[in-house]
Structure formats: C-alpha cells, structure tokens
C-alpha cells in the first residue's frame, strides 16, 4: 500500500517538504541541547520537568483516545464508526511516536536510553510506561495496517486481528493509567497526589483526543472531500461532550477536596495556578483562566444538540482542545512543581529553544500522521468507502 | 513460495527469540575477573548509617560554611550561579526546611537559625522506588547511593524526592570548577546525570568520617543507628530531635536537634 | 528467481562492504602493534597481560559494580595475590599515568572512544 504515497498532489508534497524543513530547523535546536545539555531549557533544580514531559503526557491521552472509536465499533457493533476507525488508529500511532520522542528529548543522557531494558526495574512506573507504550504502538500499527490492507484487497481482515483489537481496547486504558501513576505515586507533590489522577487523565483524553481527531477529519474533508458520515460525527461529538463534562466534574472534585479540607499543601498549587504568587498573577494564571473560560464556552456550545450539530461545532472543539491542553500540558506540570519541595516558588517558563524542540517533535508527529492518513485516504477512495454516496 | 516464506519468518522469529534469551542469560553470567572481591580493609562499617545535626550550635550560615566547603572540595561540586545549580549540602530557613510545622509563634532562636540540608538517606527512599534503571539504589548500610554511569537523566528521582535533595547537571559541571579540580582523587560528573550527597561512602570505605562531619568540630554526629552506644544514638537519647516531613513515611536518616 | 543476476551481484557487493572491517584488518596493523608505551617501573598489572588486553573494559565494568553496589572496594589478584583498591582514577591511572601513550594509542587505533574522562580526572600531564 506504500505505493499510494507516490500518487499524490503537488500541494501534498509541498506540505511534506514544509514539515521536513521544520524538523530540520528544530533539529538544530535539539543538537544544541544534546551537546550543551538541558541548560538551554527553562527547567531548574526545583522544576525538574517541564514542557517536554507535559507534552508527552498530553499525547499519551491523544493516543489512548483512539479507543473511543474502536470500543463502540467492536464491543457494541456500532457500524457507523467503521469508516473512521483507521484514522483514529493511525492518529494513535503518530501520537505514540511523539510520546516516545518527547521522552527522548527530555533525557539528559539519551544515548543510555536502553538501560531501561538492560536493567529492568519492576518497582519503577517508568518501566511499565515503556512497556505499555511500545505495546500500544505495535498493536495500532499491526491492527491499522492489516485491516486497511484487507479493505484494499476487498477481503475480510484475518481472524487473528480480532483478539488483538480487543486487547488494544483494554491496552488503551492502561497506557493513560500508567502515565497517571507516574505522577500520582510520588509523595510530597501535593497537586499530583490524588487518587482520581488516572480517572482525570482518561476523561480529559477521551474528550480532547476525539476532538482533535474530528478537527483533523474536518480539515481532511475540506481538502479531499472524504466524508466520515454525518451520524459518526454526531455520535463522536456526544462522546466528546460526556467526556468533557466528566473531565470538568473531576477537576471540581479536586477543588472541593483541596479547599473544603483547607489543607495548605493541597490548596497552594491550585492557588498558584490561578492567583499567582505574592499578589502577582503568574504567566500561567492567564492561561489557566483562559482555559476555564474556554472549557465553559465549549460546554455551552456542545451541550445543546442544536448548537452541537451546527457550524459552531469546530469552534467548540478548538476551545475544548485548548482548554484541555492548558490543563494537562501546562497546569499539571507547573502545579506539580510549584510550590517546590520547600513550599517556595521557583518560576518556570519554557525557553525559545525548548519550544523549538517541542515544535520539532510536533512536526514529526504531523509527518507520520500525514503519511499514514494519505495511505488510508487513498485506500478508502479505491475501496469506495470515501463518502456516503458510492462512486 | 508463500509456504517457504512463512517457514523463513518462523525460523527468523525463533532465532531472534533465542538471541534475546541468550543475551539475557549472558547478563547473569559469572564473574569475569579471576581474582577475588573483598571489602576494603580498614573501612568503617555500620548496620544503618545516620547523621544527627545539633542545630543549636549553628547560629548562622557562616557556622555551616566549613562543612559545606569541605563537601564541595571533597566531591568537586561546581558553583553555578543560576537556579540550575548543583547542591549536595546547603542551608535554608526553618519554614523551608520544615514546612509542615506551621507554627507562627515559634521561639525566635529556632526560627532565626539556618538549617543544613542534604540527602536524607531514607529507609524508604522514593527516588530508589521510581528510578527506572537502578542507577540510584539503597545499600544494606542504609546509604542511598548513585551510579552515575547508569543514570539516563530522566529526572524521575527529582520529581520523587520530597526533600529537593537532588540536582541535575543541566550544563557541563567542569566549566564551573576551578582548574585544577579541587579533589583529584574523586571524579567530577558529566552533563545530563542527576547527583546528590552520598554520605561520603568513598571516605567511609577509606576509614574516614564524612567531610562535613569532620569539618563540623563535633557539632554533627555520624554513626550507626542500630548500635545503642553510638554517638548518634546517644545524641538522640538525650535531646529532642525532629526530621523533615516525617508524615511521608520515608524515615529519613538525618536528624535535627532543636 | 526474478532478476537473478542483479540480486546475486547486489548480495555479493553488500557482503563485501558489510565485512569490510574484517578484510580491511588484514591490510592494517596488528592490534598488538599499536605502539602503546607500558608504564615505567611497574612490571605487572592486576592480572596477566593477555587477560587485561582482552578484558580490561569488562573488568572495569565489574569493578565498578562490585565497588559501588556490593561495597567490595578491593580486589585480590589471582596472579600475584596482592590486594588493590578498586579505583580507575586512584589505582589504574597511578601506574598508567600517561593517557596519550597508553589508553589513547590503542583506543584510537581500534576506533573506540570511551568517555571515561568526562567524569574521571586524567593524571597530570595527560
């Protein structure tokens, strides 16, 4: 099926070339980091994780969200998702690739990365994270490719993929649970030490991941005419609304426990995120309040069916993705490290080079996604699953 | 043709499996050296090393300076003038060292004194629990040690340590060390690894007390917590002592006399 | 076989290139003739020359793990029965005190570039 990549429009190749340029330029920033150390980032002794790990966390969620298409289709035989599933699976592949790269760029000694496998350490959550992410990547590549190839050959997928699909559904939950356990198991970081961390992660993943998928599908629809089907979009947006409601509810639960218990350690990270420090708002506070407004705004549009199914949907989804990204991609890490272990504030802000490296990883993800989705779209076209009206 | 391809794939799979198995087995192979390994003769030994700092005898940060300097010299610790600094021993205020004790009306002398901070060498060290490569590990004598060769620089241990005792080499530490290096008998570190206080494990093996203890003029006791006659047990039996963040269950090995 | 000629020639070319380290070594110098200068004054290393030449890196690996993890910071030589303190910097480099004419000579000739000296301190005069 790789031959599909050789029959594409000029603008597609221009897009790929653009991504490669971005990767090359950002690669220079990474080389700087590799030779001169993570000193080029905004991280410090007290804020020892930053943008890289937060992006890793966010994209584990995006990867896990493919299950929101696969589960209804295979556990509940919801046929209307079948046309879109492959895009979810391939998006999961791109997301896991990004996760792996975000971990690699965060390592001080990436050359020694394989030590995690050479000295397997079952008491470390990182060890399990490595296993579940590698497994999930493999599962999605195999399942995606084999089912797409079957569609290409106009045949039924081989029987052995079925069990793999069921495993992948459970596995999707595991990747984000284990990622939450990276945080929820360390003593002394109040903002992370919460039993609903894994549940919060899953809720935020299951609203933001499908929202990103839908937005990308809308873009593809405009570019290529591929139609996911009206009912599929409708159902997926309902899933997104429920997940977002649960996500917001869980965050409110955190606020209740922290503030009603009145335990300073639990309140301080949240107060820092929203109120800043010493009477001044922190830069992240503006983002957090923007997230609150966008979360409410997205729910206002998404909850009434008439607005949800209108032209407002993409705007609501953009707000939802932005809000969940700020919550998980900025607030989670900054709140975890502020106040620091001495109940003091060490400010953290990503540096320009740090953002460049992160953008480079984004570009790699976009490249992987562009290649895989191009193959999938070509196959859909050939097999006549491109839109509701068969050609 | 198709059949033979399947056979080939099966064979390749089995060989790969055997190869991995073989590699795994070779990891557990017997000793390479023909000689014998023994503990260093004349080294100091304990069942559980612990430290007791008599904070009553340290009135100001200058009183701690000799201890900190001795440590910095012994371990080639750089002074980096940013918050990406490397610290093994340093001082801070009571509020920062014991943040759980939110007493607004603490007596003046306790509140105004600086306190020395270092790795607590916990009984239940979270850093060891989270390290994915066993680069940091706990030894039977209670010391939480590090193997810088194995550290991949993931900094999970820094997120895990509730005492902020760990530092990461964000930049090349050698750029911030005097030439020649203060201690030619001890290595420096390299870019991209985490480091922390090691309770002077290399000096104990040589029969010497830790550098800060030696420089403290008896104001810091160091000894075996399991031995009722040791200096640390005596100091703890006769004085009021506290530890940092005891509610986390890490069981620190560093005690503060108040 | 489809396009047999091309495939077989391709395989042969690949094997030749892939095996280049082996046949190039026949042209190059022998690994024992790299011109390393042995330490003056000392006759014997911790174990015999053959063992050290072949296994010094594995020995150092084992020394490190024994010293750091097992608290076995001394090594009793099988060859001489003498006890050595386990330390690259303070034992090995005390005799092998000329890095450029010992370690480096052989490492460069064999295209290996260990990074011991980003942390361990080289003896004076390199």
């Amino acid at each position: 099926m790789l031959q599909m990549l050789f029959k594409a429009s000029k603008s597609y190749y221009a897009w790929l070339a653009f991504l490669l340029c971005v990767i090359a330029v950002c690669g220079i920033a990474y080389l700087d980091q590799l030779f001169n150390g993570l000193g080029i980032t905004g991280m410090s002794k007290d804020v020892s994780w930053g943008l890289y790990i937060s992006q890793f966390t966010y994209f584990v969620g995006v990867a896990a969200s493919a299950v929101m298409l696969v589960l209804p289709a295979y556990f509940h035989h919801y046929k209307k998702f079948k046309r879109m599933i492959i895009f979810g699976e391939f998006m999961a592949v791109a997301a896991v690739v990004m996760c792996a790269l975000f971990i690699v760029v965060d390592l001080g000694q990436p050359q020694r990365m394989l030590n995690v496998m050479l000295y397997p350490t079952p008491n470390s959550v990182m060890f399990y994270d490595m296993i579940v992410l590698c497994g999930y990547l493999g599962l999605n590549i195999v399942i995606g490719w084999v089912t797409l190839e079957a569609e290409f050959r106009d045949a039924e997928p081989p029987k052995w993929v079925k069990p793999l699909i069921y495993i992948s559904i459970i596995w999707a939950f595991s990747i984000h649970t284990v990622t939450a356990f990276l945080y929820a198991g360390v003593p002394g970081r109040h903002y992370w030490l919460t039993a609903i961390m894994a549940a919060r992660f899953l809720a935020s993943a299951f609203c933001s991941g499908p929202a990103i998928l839908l937005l990308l599908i809308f873009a593809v629809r405009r570019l290529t005419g591929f139609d996911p089907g009206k009912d599929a979009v409708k159902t997926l947006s309902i899933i997104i609304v429920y997940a977002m409601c649960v996500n917001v509810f869980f965050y409110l639960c955190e606020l209740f426990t922290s503030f009603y218990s009145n335990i300073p350690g639990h309140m301080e990270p949240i107060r820092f995120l929203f109120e800043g420090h010493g009477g001044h708002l922190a830069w992240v506070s503006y983002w957090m309040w923007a997230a609150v407004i966008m979360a409410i705004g997205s729910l206002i549009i998404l909850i009434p069916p008439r607005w949800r199914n209108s032209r407002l949907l993409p705007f609501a989804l953009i707000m939802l993705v932005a809000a969940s990204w700020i919550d998980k991609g900025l607030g989670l890490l900054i709140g975890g490290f502020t106040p620091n272990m001495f109940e003091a504030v060490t400010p953290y802000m990503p540096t320009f080079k740090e953002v460049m490296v992160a953008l480079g990883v984004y570009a790699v993800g976009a490249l992987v996604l562009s290649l895989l989705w191009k193959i999938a779209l070509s196959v859909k076209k050939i097999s006549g699953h491109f839109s509701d009206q068969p050609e | 043709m198709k059949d033979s391809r399947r056979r080939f794939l099966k064979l390749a799979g089995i060989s790969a499996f055997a190869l991995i198995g073989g590699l795994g087995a070779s990891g557990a192979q017997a000793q390479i050296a023909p000689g014998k390994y023994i503990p260093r003769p004349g080294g100091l030994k304990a069942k559980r090393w612990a430290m007791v700092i008599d904070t009553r005898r340290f009135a100001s940060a200058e009183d701690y300076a000799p201890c900190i300097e001795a440590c910095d010299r012994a371990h080639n610790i750089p002074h980096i003038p940013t918050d990406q600094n490397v610290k093994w021993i340093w001082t801070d205020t009571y509020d920062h060292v014991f943040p759980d004790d939110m007493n607004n009306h603490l007596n003046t002398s306790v509140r105004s004194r600086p306190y020395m901070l270092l790795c607590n060498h916990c009984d239940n060290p979270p850093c060891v629990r989270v390290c994915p490569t066993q680069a940091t590990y706990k030894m039977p004598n209670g010391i939480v040690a590090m193997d810088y060769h194995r550290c991949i620089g993931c900094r999970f241990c820094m997120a895990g340590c509730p005492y902020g005792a760990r530092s990461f080499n964000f930049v090349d530490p050698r750029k911030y060390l005097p030439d020649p290096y203060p201690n030619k008998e001890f290595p420096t570190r390299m870019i991209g690894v985490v480091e922390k206080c090691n309770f002077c494990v290399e000096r104990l093996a040589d029969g010497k007390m830790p550098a800060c203890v030696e420089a403290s003029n008896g104001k810091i006791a160091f000894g075996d917590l399991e031995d009722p006659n040791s200096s640390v047990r005596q100091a703890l039996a006769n004085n009021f002592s506290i530890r940092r963040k005891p509610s986390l269950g890490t069981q620190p090995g560093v005690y503060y006399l108040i | 076989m489809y396009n047999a000629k091309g495939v077989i020639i391709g395989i042969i070319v690949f094997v030749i290139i892939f095996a280049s380290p082996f046949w190039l070594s026949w042209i190059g110098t022998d690994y024992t003739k790299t011109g390393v200068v042995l330490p003056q004054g000392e006759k014997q290393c911790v174990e015999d020359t053959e063992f050290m030449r072949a296994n010094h890196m594995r020995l150092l690996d084992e020394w490190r793990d024994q010293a750091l993890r097992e608290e076995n910071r001394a090594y009793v030589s099988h060859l001489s029965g003498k006890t050595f303190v386990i330390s690259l910097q303070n034992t090995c480099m005390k005799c092998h005190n000329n890095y450029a004419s010992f370690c480096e000579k052989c490492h460069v000739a064999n295209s290996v570039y260990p990074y011991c000296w980003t942390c361990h301190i080289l003896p004076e005069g390199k």
Side-chain angles (χ1 to χ4, degrees):
Chain A
M1 290 187 292
L2 285 172
Q3 67 268 31
M4 306 295 176
L5 292 174
F6 299 107
K7 285 177 284 181
S9 68
K10 271 203 183 120
S11 49
Y12 177 71
Y13 291 127
W15 166 244
L16 293 190
F18 166 73
L19 287 177
L20 286 172
C21 289
V22 174
I23 293 167
V25 172
C26 296
I28 295 170
Y30 179 63
L31 283 181
D32 184 10
Q33 180 189 297
L34 192 62
F35 293 125
N36 298 319
L38 283 146
I40 68 150
T41 69
M43 290 182 267
S44 59
K45 187 178 187 302
D46 294 331
V47 186
S48 48
W49 277 344
L51 188 67
Y52 300 151
I53 290 293
S54 69
Q55 299 314 294
F56 155 77
T57 311
Y58 191 76
F59 280 95
V60 175
V62 174
S65 73
V67 79
M68 286 293 103
L69 292 171
V70 183
L71 192 149
Y74 284 91
F75 278 0
H76 303 282
H77 307 288
Y78 184 69
K79 296 249 159 53
K80 301 227 162 97
F81 274 170
K82 289 250 156 127
R83 200 186 303 157
M84 219 168 29
I85 280 183
I86 187 69
F87 297 98
E89 283 162 347
F90 279 170
M91 188 173 83
V93 171
V96 179
V97 168
M98 289 171 75
C99 293
L101 285 175
F102 273 119
I103 291 283
V104 172
V105 299
D106 187 67
L107 292 181
Q109 285 290 329
Q111 304 92 320
R112 299 180 187 162
M113 193 164 54
L114 290 180
N115 277 0
V116 179
M117 288 181 213
L118 288 173
Y119 307 99
T121 313
N123 49 284
S124 174
V125 184
M126 195 85 84
F127 171 68
Y128 296 98
D129 216 25
M130 185 267 299
I131 294 175
V132 292
L133 282 176
C134 291
Y136 195 64
L137 180 64
L139 279 172
N140 274 292
I141 290 177
V142 169
I143 294 168
W145 197 263
V146 168
T147 49
L148 192 66
E149 189 151 40
E151 196 178 333
F152 181 51
R153 308 219 179 287
D154 205 11
E156 280 295 306
K159 279 203 196 89
W160 54 264
V161 255
K162 261 279 167 67
L164 286 188
I165 291 169
Y166 291 138
I167 292 171
S168 85
I169 292 173
I170 311 294
W171 205 285
F173 287 88
S174 83
I175 62 168
H176 219 24
T177 305
V178 174
T179 306
F181 286 174
L182 284 178
Y183 299 99
V186 295
R189 303 264 176 216
H190 313 296
Y191 193 57
W192 297 344
L193 195 68
T194 162
I196 60 163
M197 183 66 93
R200 263 181 69 194
F201 270 25
L202 287 168
S204 111
F206 293 158
C207 61
S208 61
I212 292 172
L213 181 71
L214 266 192
L215 286 170
L216 290 171
I217 290 273
F218 290 157
V220 166
R221 181 164 65 186
R222 182 159 280 196
L223 290 169
T224 68
F226 170 77
D227 182 13
K230 234 183 185 144
D231 289 329
V233 173
K234 250 185 180 166
T235 312
L236 198 55
S237 18
I238 292 172
I239 291 174
I240 292 170
V241 186
Y242 274 107
M244 184 59 177
C245 290
V246 174
N247 185 26
V248 171
F249 170 68
F250 282 164
Y251 200 82
L252 294 175
C253 289
E254 297 273 22
L255 295 185
F256 171 78
T257 303
S258 301
F259 287 92
Y260 193 78
S261 72
N262 200 42
I263 297 174
H266 290 274
M267 295 189 291
E268 271 155 17
I270 300 169
R271 295 188 69 156
F272 174 79
L273 287 176
F274 288 99
E275 291 177 4
H277 175 63
H280 299 286
L281 286 180
W283 67 269
V284 71
S285 309
Y286 297 99
W287 289 75
M288 290 307 286
W289 282 112
V292 171
I293 293 164
M294 287 190 287
I296 296 170
S298 69
L299 282 180
I300 289 174
I301 300 178
L302 285 173
I303 290 173
R306 191 191 294 176
W307 289 353
R308 179 169 68 236
N309 298 326
S310 71
R311 289 170 152 224
L312 290 172
L313 179 62
F315 298 102
L317 294 180
I318 288 170
M319 286 199 287
L320 186 150
V321 171
S324 67
W325 184 84
I326 293 167
D327 165 37
K328 216 173 179 179
L330 287 178
L332 178 80
L333 262 285
I334 293 176
F337 283 101
T338 331
N340 59 26
M341 288 311 185
F342 314 99
E343 303 298 343
V345 170
T346 307
Y348 163 78
M349 169 124 79
T351 59
F352 178 68
K353 283 178 183 168
E354 196 175 354
V355 175
M356 285 259 287
V357 173
L359 279 180
V361 177
Y362 269 77
V364 173
L367 183 70
V368 173
L369 191 77
S370 303
L371 294 174
L372 291 175
W373 276 27
K374 165 73 186 135
I375 296 172
L377 284 166
S378 305
V379 170
K380 295 279 170 193
K381 193 144 214 180
I382 290 168
S383 63
H385 296 134
F386 205 64
S387 59
D388 286 331
Q389 295 87 33
E391 283 155 57
Chain B
M1 181 69 206
K2 203 171 175 201
D3 223 40
S4 73
R5 188 166 77 175
R6 174 169 292 180
R7 256 206 348 253
F8 170 76
L9 286 174
K10 263 188 192 162
L11 198 68
I14 291 166
S15 339
F17 189 73
L19 191 70
I20 292 165
L23 283 176
S26 71
Q29 73 192 164
Q31 188 178 317
I32 290 152
K36 228 173 49 196
Y37 290 100
I38 54 167
R40 196 168 159 184
L44 300 178
K45 284 187 188 65
K47 286 205 180 104
R48 204 290 186 223
W49 287 113
M51 180 180 278
V52 178
I53 304 167
D54 191 347
T55 68
R56 297 164 303 188
R57 294 169 69 192
F58 290 94
S60 65
E62 284 92 77
D63 292 347
Y64 285 113
C67 304
I68 297 173
E69 270 163 34
C71 174
D72 287 357
R73 257 201 319 277
H75 301 114
N76 295 323
I77 297 164
H79 290 280
I80 301 165
T82 65
D83 55 11
Q84 297 180 336
N85 201 358
V86 173
K87 297 180 198 169
W88 284 30
I89 306 183
W90 70 107
T91 59
D92 209 334
T93 59
Y94 186 88
D95 293 343
H96 290 166
V97 178
F98 305 101
D100 293 341
D101 182 26
M102 297 172 178
N103 183 347
N104 286 333
H105 304 286
L106 203 62
N107 73 53
T108 332
S109 108
V110 172
R111 179 173 295 288
S112 60
R113 295 203 288 260
Y115 294 84
M116 183 173 118
L117 294 141
L118 70 163
C119 170
N120 276 301
H121 297 274
C122 306
D123 276 350
N124 306 309
C127 56
V128 171
R129 195 154 65 230
V130 299
C131 177
T133 63
Q134 293 150 51
T136 193
Y137 51 92
K138 201 180 130 201
M139 296 201 294
N141 60 11
I143 295 181
V144 176
M146 270 201 78
D147 178 355
Y148 305 116
H149 304 83
R150 198 183 282 181
C151 176
I152 59 173
C154 71
R155 309 190 296 294
F156 201 178
C157 55
M158 296 176 76
C161 174
Y163 303 104
R166 292 177 159 267
S167 306
F168 179 71
N169 285 280
F170 284 97
V171 292
D172 184 0
R174 289 192 165 185
K175 286 185 187 151
Y176 295 89
L177 280 170
D179 185 29
Y181 304 127
N183 183 0
K184 278 188 222 98
E185 312 248 290
F186 197 80
T188 67
R189 264 70 59 204
M190 69 188 293
I191 216 164
V193 298
V194 175
E195 63 179 273
K196 65 169 195 77
C197 156
N198 65 353
F199 256 11
C200 283
V201 67
E202 82 287 356
R203 290 173 58 93
L204 295 173
D206 199 12
K208 295 183 204 149
M209 274 286 164
C212 60
V213 176
E214 204 177 80
S216 75
N217 267 327
K219 290 185 272 190
I220 302 176
F222 190 80
D224 190 351
L225 201 63
E226 306 269 296
D227 172 9
N229 300 316
S230 68
S231 58
V232 286
R233 279 292 287 276
Q234 291 299 317
L236 293 174
N238 300 318
N239 297 281
F240 174 68
S241 61
I242 57 172
R243 289 184 290 176
R244 295 175 64 197
K245 302 190 182 178
S247 65
L248 299 179
T250 55
Q251 298 289 358
V254 176
Y255 295 75
Y256 296 85
L257 300 186
I258 300 295
Chain C
M1 196 199 280
Y2 172 73
N3 202 2
K5 217 195 249 167
V7 170
I8 290 170
I9 291 174
I11 290 174
I12 290 172
V13 169
F14 172 76
V15 168
I16 289 174
I17 294 172
F18 195 73
S20 61
F22 295 99
W23 53 262
L24 274 175
S25 71
W26 296 329
I27 311 168
T29 40
D30 189 63
Y31 73 96
T32 54
K33 298 192 185 95
T34 49
V36 291
V37 181
L38 294 174
Q40 315 289 306
E42 277 295 329
K43 281 270 174 301
Q44 193 54 61
C45 199
V46 289
E47 295 294 351
D48 65 65
T49 317
E50 280 303 307
F51 176 83
M52 292 309 289
R53 186 183 285 151
N55 288 312
H56 63 278
M57 55 311 235
R58 297 167 76 193
L59 181 79
L60 285 172
D61 237 28
E62 192 172 279
W63 270 27
R64 181 236 291 130
D65 285 345
Q66 286 287 336
L68 292 181
R69 287 168 196 271
E70 312 295 328
E71 269 297 292
N72 285 329
R73 287 178 180 255
Y75 177 75
V76 185
S77 166
H78 175 71
L79 187 71
S80 60
K82 272 201 247 170
T83 302
F84 296 90
V85 173
I86 291 181
S87 172
L88 172 65
Q89 224 169 290
N90 304 328
T91 303
C92 304
M93 301 310 283
K94 283 282 156 8
C95 299
H96 298 284
N97 52 11
N98 198 327
Y99 171 74
S101 60
F102 187 75
C103 312
E104 197 178 32
K105 267 247 155 77
C106 203
H107 285 160
V108 168
N110 287 291
S111 305
V112 289
Y113 302 97
Y115 55 100
C116 313
W117 315 108
T118 53
C119 295
H120 292 282
I121 299 168
L122 278 174
E124 298 281 295
K126 287 193 98 179

